[in-house]
């Protein structure tokens, strides 16, 4: 195993084996080209929150752009065996894979869009074999970045506009766990990252100072700060807690004054342990008394939206927040439960037949159809989202939406409202038609999107529940199908 | 941004910016080549457990093997600015980086070794600038795989020897969060993965069946199973819970009998929702009544060591356990808090000077010296681990070890005990000297290592605390240094 080899390999096999065995099944039963529609969605906002920010689409599109089984991939698949010791895949099937290119259509919500449970983030339409082969990678790429963009937005809300620096690389879940997290954290509102490779690849601003080891490599802290200031006079944020924090602040103040006298400016100091409320207030006093009013106090140490809110309430004098582990791993809930479910299949008569998966839990029963989400807006912002079946769209005069988990919650939507359909075409016949967007455009969209909604959805405790429902016709159809599948339909 | 580009890039910039600003500082103050020793260790076993399994070293070695700033990297670094708008890095420094190759020595515990808090997993000796540049990547690569190997071992203990299949890719934290997790999960004891790329790259057995969508693409479940059996007669594990689970089992039984009649064998069925205890017992009964006694019941659905133990206690008839999200993200604690601390630095007289970082919490104060761990063994296995300073190793007659967090807990180690030093040389002067090991060798080591210890360390609730301490001389030295640094040493 060479690290480089992982990263030079075709990623086409980044999938679960069952996608390939099913593909084999579709191919062998002559149904490889049968058209199907799949939806990628999640069932609950992460972190018991009131919203989710979609991210990761660009990775998904790049995956599709490069989708192709390499000779290596096929040689490997050839070695796999079934329980009788015979090859798992027939050679005809492997030849089929060798020539396979994605010809699906994909519609997706743009990255940075605020989304809610049950709304499709991605809709894949095309030969069922291909739809299936894309499932695992789409879920992997979109689940993770959506999770982190949402976590980041929550943390940025907690700081009330103070900049948040993402410092998580060392505790991230692997190389890409770090890189993709830096990208998504920036989308969610972080101001910068410490991850230099993410800075290089994505154009995210990078920030950093020095570590305890810099101070420990000197006989005393003051010499360490002085030397650092001489070497990097335009990047001085001194980490003051290697020995005694307030002594550290006093040493930083001395060097801050020296910097000022030589025409430079100390950016600030950093607190990385201890009682951040107490220490930041004392440090602010020491800095201000010395006339270093512009020096910022940066704090870090296992911070997240909860500790930040608490520090804010305690009057901590922290201007910049360094957040690592708890952001890049989404510590309190490290996975978004995104799923990818079949919505409809085209039958032999070329007609679309909606399909659903049952479950004893209503929340886990999938919604049949070719789904789209329509967001209704008035002059104040978003009013409600309606999930509907494109095969039977809502009529223009009157649109009723029904809460999928409580049919007594209904809402009639005024036809004078503006509306916008969230899924837009991003791949047509396998060709990427979605234009590349810079991260800063996506980051701005996330902010603008959040501004569309009542601020209550951003509350961390018991957030406002934004209305999302099924269009009445879709609701009725789904109910009928469930009863039919449960053989409880006595019509 | 192209996905391929991430994965074709030099990974040398996979670091925090402050490593580079410190490197600049060391270079500018003429201390780039000053020798230092850093230790990578963690402070608490994850999951409130009694042990940890080291993993990820091979990735770290590959990172070092390929460490080299590319022209791209340097062009990017040249664009970075300080707070005065002037370049952050001088051109002389960037030229220095262009020629930089790693010349450090690394010692490390082999992957699969059972380790405990405060024991170095990796020790880096060399020019301080280089040691610093390696920090972030080493932490990223080793923290994550160590976390997952440990989680996997805990889950495999809970199944009591039943095979565990790792199914986590779709919920993993990014591409590498999936690949590295599959690797580490196998080290920790998993029998196979669903991740085909991990199978190809690492030689891990791959397993898989079909999804709900296969069943949903048919008008009825029985036809779906029959077609699958015709297409893949040697890989039949039927997912039975698309509609009604026990009806699904009955359909699988029918097809299992057909398979048997045609000379094949149904591998089993899979339960993915509902009350797994009840359903597995009922399913087992249905299978056995039909003479399909060899068909295995595979279960999945947000399983981890806690739910598995509970299902075992309830007498669930599950033979194979599919574990996904909670394994590959280490859901209950998605980060290992590994750190990388300076232990000693060589002074102008070429003498090693131990260094420590203070903290108000004793557990966070680092241990000074050039550290090694000696494991003492008797005929029953491991007795205790002693962390000592190689500059002042324990004397052969008498070795006393002291609990670093409670100095009244001491243990005298008999000199007749066997012992083994855990850190072995893996890089010398920048050259990898550690021989590549196959994953199955590493996996076997993890099992053999666990067998060395009292089984109580594997208990999930209040595990046995294996004795790990500092060698008495090191303990005394550390205490003295703390008092000195706190200016409380009145000698």
């Amino acid at each position: 195993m060479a690290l480089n080899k992982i990263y030079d390999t075709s990623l086409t096999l980044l999938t679960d084996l069952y996608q390939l065995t099913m593909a084999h099944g579709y191919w062998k039963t002559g149904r490889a080209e049968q058209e199907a529609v799949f939806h990628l969605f999640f069932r609950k906002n992460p972190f018991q929150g009131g919203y989710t920010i979609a991210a990761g689409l660009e990775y998904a599109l790049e995956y599709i752009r490069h989708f192709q089984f390499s000779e290596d991939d096929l040689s490997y698949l050839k070695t796999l065996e079934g329980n009788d010791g015979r090859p798992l895949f027939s050679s005809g099937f492997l030849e089929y894979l060798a020539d396979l290119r994605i010809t699906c259509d994909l519609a997706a919500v743009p990255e940075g869009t605020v989304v809610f449970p049950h709304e499709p983030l991605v809709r894949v339409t095309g030969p069922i074999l291909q739809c299936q082969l894309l499932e695992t990678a789409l879920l992997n790429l979109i689940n993770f970045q959506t999770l982190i963009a949402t976590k980041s937005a929550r943390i940025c809300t907690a700081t009330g506009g103070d900049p948040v620096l993402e410092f998580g690389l060392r505790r991230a879940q692997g190389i890409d766990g770090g890189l993709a997290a830096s990208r998504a954290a920036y989308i969610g509102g972080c101001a910068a990252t410490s991850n230099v490779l993410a800075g290089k690849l994505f154009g995210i601003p990078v920030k950093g100072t020095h570590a305890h080891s810099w101070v420990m490599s000197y006989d005393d802290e003051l010499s360490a700060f002085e030397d650092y200031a001489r070497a990097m006079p335009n990047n001085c944020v001194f980490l003051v807690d290697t020995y005694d924090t307030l002594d550290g602040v006093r040493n930083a103040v001395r060097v801050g004054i020296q910097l000022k006298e030589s025409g430079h400016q100390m950016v600030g100091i950093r607190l990385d342990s201890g009682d951040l409320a107490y220490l930041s207030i004392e440090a602010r006093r020491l800095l201000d008394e010395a006339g270093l009013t512009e020096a910022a106090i940066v704090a870090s140490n296992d911070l997240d939206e909860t500790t930040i809110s608490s520090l804010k309430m305690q009057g901590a004098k922290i201007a910049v927040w360094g957040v690592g582990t708890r952001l890049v791993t989404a510590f309190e809930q490290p996975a978004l439960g995104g799923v990818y479910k079949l919505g409809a299949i085209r039958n032999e008569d070329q007609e679309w037949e909606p399909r659903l998966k049952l479950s004893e839990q209503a929340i886990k029963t999938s919604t049949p159809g070719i789904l789209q989400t329509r967001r209704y807006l008035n002059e104040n912002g978003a009013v409600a989202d309606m999930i509907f079946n494109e095969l039977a769209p809502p009529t223009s005069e009157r649109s009723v939406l029904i809460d999928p988990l409580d049919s007594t919650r209904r809402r009639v939507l005024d036809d004078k409202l503006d509306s916008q359909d969230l899924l837009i075409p991003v791949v047509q016949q396998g060709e990427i038609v979605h234009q590349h967007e810079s991260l800063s455009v996506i980051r701005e969209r996330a902010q603008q999107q959040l501004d569309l909604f009542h601020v209550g959805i951003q509350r961390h405790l018991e957030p406002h529940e934004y209305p999302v429902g099924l269009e009445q016709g879709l609701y009725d159809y789904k109910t009928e199908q469930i009863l039919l599948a449960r053989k409880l339909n006595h019509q």
Side-chain angles (χ1 to χ4, degrees), chain A:
Chain A
M1 190 280 300
L3 196 62
N4 268 24
K5 195 172 159 206
I6 298 180
Y7 297 97
D8 278 346
T9 184
S10 146
L11 290 177
T12 304
L13 291 187
L14 190 76
T15 190
D16 292 304
L17 182 65
Y18 79 177
Q19 312 290 7
L20 287 160
T21 54
M22 281 190 282
H24 194 197
Y26 290 124
W27 174 81
K28 208 148 177 184
T29 56
R31 297 191 305 132
E33 304 292 324
Q34 187 172 9
E35 271 201 289
V37 175
F38 283 79
H39 303 104
L40 189 157
F41 61 97
F42 58 88
R43 297 177 179 126
K44 283 176 79 173
N45 288 313
F47 321 117
Q48 304 188 289
Y51 67 97
T52 297
I53 292 182
L57 177 63
E58 184 151 354
Y59 274 51
L61 296 179
E62 290 297 321
Y63 179 80
I64 289 170
R65 193 195 303 277
H66 297 285
F67 186 97
Q68 185 176 336
F69 289 91
S70 68
E71 279 186 35
D72 252 23
D73 293 340
L74 297 166
S75 309
Y76 169 69
L77 294 180
K78 208 171 163 179
T79 66
L80 299 181
E81 295 174 354
N83 70 331
D84 55 2
R86 302 186 58 199
L88 196 55
F89 301 114
S90 65
S91 54
F93 175 65
L94 296 177
E95 283 162 28
Y96 176 84
L97 291 185
D99 295 330
L100 183 69
R101 300 294 179 276
I102 295 298
T103 59
C104 296
D105 292 339
L106 271 76
V109 303
E111 293 190 272
T113 302
V114 168
V115 288
F116 299 94
H118 304 288
E119 298 181 351
L121 274 64
V122 182
R123 187 180 73 198
V124 183
T125 311
I128 192 165
L129 178 149
Q130 294 181 31
C131 294
Q132 207 80 72
L133 288 179
L134 296 178
E135 171 175 0
T136 308
L138 290 180
L139 284 169
N140 175 280
L141 298 169
I142 288 173
N143 267 331
F144 179 50
Q145 290 199 40
T146 298
L147 182 77
I148 302 300
T150 308
K151 185 72 175 174
S152 169
R154 289 168 62 83
I155 289 170
C156 292
T157 298
T159 68
D162 298 342
V164 177
L165 312 179
E166 177 269 304
F167 283 168
L169 179 57
R170 63 188 55 204
R171 304 276 168 81
Q173 297 208 341
I175 297 168
D176 186 52
L179 288 169
S182 295
R183 180 180 188 273
Y186 188 65
I187 290 174
C190 282
T193 179
S194 66
N195 181 340
V196 187
L197 190 52
K200 175 186 156 187
L201 293 173
F202 307 126
I204 305 172
V206 289
K207 293 280 179 200
T209 58
H210 66 78
H212 296 119
S213 52
W214 175 270
V215 176
M216 289 160 72
S217 76
Y218 283 82
D219 289 330
D220 68 290
E221 191 180 53
L222 183 59
S223 309
F225 290 172
E226 285 176 339
D227 251 21
Y228 192 85
R230 266 192 288 277
M232 307 281 286
N234 63 356
N235 187 50
C236 286
V237 179
F238 296 113
L239 180 60
V240 292
D241 70 336
T242 305
Y243 305 116
D244 177 277
T245 302
L246 293 178
D247 281 351
V249 177
R250 290 182 194 101
N251 283 329
V253 163
R254 280 185 203 111
V255 182
I257 291 168
Q258 291 167 19
L259 274 165
K260 210 170 174 180
E261 288 167 358
S262 65
H264 294 287
Q265 196 184 347
M266 177 168 86
V267 180
I269 61 161
R270 176 170 164 212
L271 305 171
D272 190 39
S273 61
D275 182 331
L276 296 177
Y278 167 76
L279 292 172
S280 66
I281 291 167
E282 290 304 302
R284 186 72 267 160
R285 194 173 55 72
L286 292 170
L287 290 165
D288 289 349
E289 282 173 6
L292 299 168
T293 51
E294 288 174 23
I297 297 176
V298 185
S300 53
N301 192 18
D302 278 346
L303 297 176
D304 64 8
E305 61 270 46
T306 309
T307 44
I308 290 170
S309 299
S310 164
L311 285 164
K312 282 273 181 191
M313 283 201 355
Q314 297 169 65
K317 298 288 188 191
I318 296 165
V320 180
W321 304 79
V323 185
T325 312
R326 285 169 192 268
L327 168 53
V328 301
T329 64
F331 202 87
E332 67 178 294
Q333 186 196 317
L336 181 74
V339 294
Y340 182 88
K341 293 289 172 196
L342 180 67
I345 194 155
R346 221 194 261 276
N347 66 18
E348 285 168 5
D349 302 328
Q350 294 304 305
E351 281 163 354
W352 282 108
E353 283 183 13
R355 291 294 161 101
L356 93 170
K357 179 200 170 299
L358 275 189
S359 171
E360 287 170 39
Q361 296 162 268
I363 197 175
K364 282 195 160 184
T365 298
S366 64
T367 303
I370 299 180
L371 306 179
Q372 171 65 284
T373 304
R374 186 161 292 173
R375 179 160 293 166
Y376 291 86
L377 303 118
N378 67 15
E379 63 284 6
N380 297 320
V383 173
D385 285 5
M386 172 187 280
I387 300 168
F388 67 94
N389 184 355
E390 287 199 338
L391 297 172
T395 58
S396 59
E397 310 89 51
R398 216 177 108 102
S399 302
V400 177
L401 90 137
I402 304 184
D403 184 330
L405 299 181
D406 177 357
S407 67
T408 63
R409 292 177 70 182
R410 296 175 179 226
R411 181 181 290 243
V412 180
L413 291 165
D414 190 321
D415 70 339
K416 283 181 224 109
L417 290 169
D418 280 341
S419 73
Q420 189 195 1
D421 289 353
L422 298 189
L423 291 172
I424 60 168
V426 295
V427 176
Q428 283 177 342
Q429 291 281 314
E431 289 296 313
I432 315 293
V433 297
H434 184 63
Q435 227 181 334
H436 169 77
E437 300 184 308
S438 76
L439 263 197
S440 55
V441 165
I442 297 171
R443 182 170 183 267
E444 207 164 304
R445 177 179 299 126
Q447 193 49 59
Q448 287 167 351
Q449 283 267 316
L450 278 174
D451 291 344
L452 280 181
F453 294 87
H454 189 280
V455 71
I457 69 162
Q458 295 183 47
R459 198 164 53 211
H460 295 158
L461 196 65
E462 304 278 357
H464 169 65
E465 202 179 322
Y466 175 76
V468 178
L470 300 186
E471 181 272 327
Q472 181 157 24
L474 178 58
Y475 179 86
D476 293 342
Y477 180 79
K478 179 176 176 177
T479 306
E480 184 191 312
Q481 290 299 304
I482 293 173
L483 293 173
L484 202 65
R486 291 209 170 123
K487 304 177 187 90
L488 295 170
N489 189 322
H490 302 294
Q491 290 175 340

